[in-house]
Amino acid sequence: MLMLTPTAIEAVRTITSGDGSPAEAGLRIFSATENAQALQLAVAAAPAEQDQVLSADGSRIFLDEKAAAFLDDKILDTGVDDEGQSTFVVAPQGQNQPGQDAPQG
């Protein structure tokens, strides 16, 4: 299942809690291509019928079937691009990601 870092949770909450947004709004991630290699993001008032819904600390993410399968073993984080703009970053699970503590062992 897609994991979210604390910074991603906060970003999703910020994006989806704008003025006039319904309480059940979320960030919808959906496949833009047949093989789910290109994903699109949009704020949605509610999930589509077949969407998988992830909720964490007041944030909601809706994944279409292809996006859910592609992101099943990934982590969603946030980063800053070369122009200083915030972006979402997808990385494989199991790697030490920003915002996560190193595994103890």
Side-chain angles (χ1 to χ4, degrees):
M1 177 179 291
L2 176 67
M3 294 176 58
L4 307 172
T5 65
T7 56
I9 291 169
E10 181 62 30
V12 171
R13 242 191 340 244
T14 299
I15 290 168
T16 60
S17 66
D19 291 336
S21 295
E24 58 276 355
L27 182 67
R28 185 161 193 265
I29 303 175
F30 56 99
S31 175
T33 61
E34 185 65 31
N35 61 7
Q37 294 298 313
L39 299 174
Q40 295 183 347
L41 306 174
V43 175
E49 186 174 324
Q50 299 296 322
D51 283 356
Q52 181 182 99
V53 178
L54 303 177
S55 297
D57 296 328
S59 69
R60 290 171 40 103
I61 294 184
F62 313 138
L63 303 170
D64 80 358
E65 291 181 51
K66 291 177 188 168
F70 177 75
L71 295 171
D72 187 52
D73 60 348
K74 308 286 189 299
I75 297 172
L76 183 67
D77 198 1
T78 56
V80 178
D81 67 15
D82 294 337
E83 297 175 5
Q85 297 293 318
S86 293
T87 61
F88 283 102
V89 179
V90 175
Q93 289 182 18
Q95 296 180 0
N96 190 32
Q97 301 298 315
Q100 290 185 306
D101 295 328
Q104 301 296 313

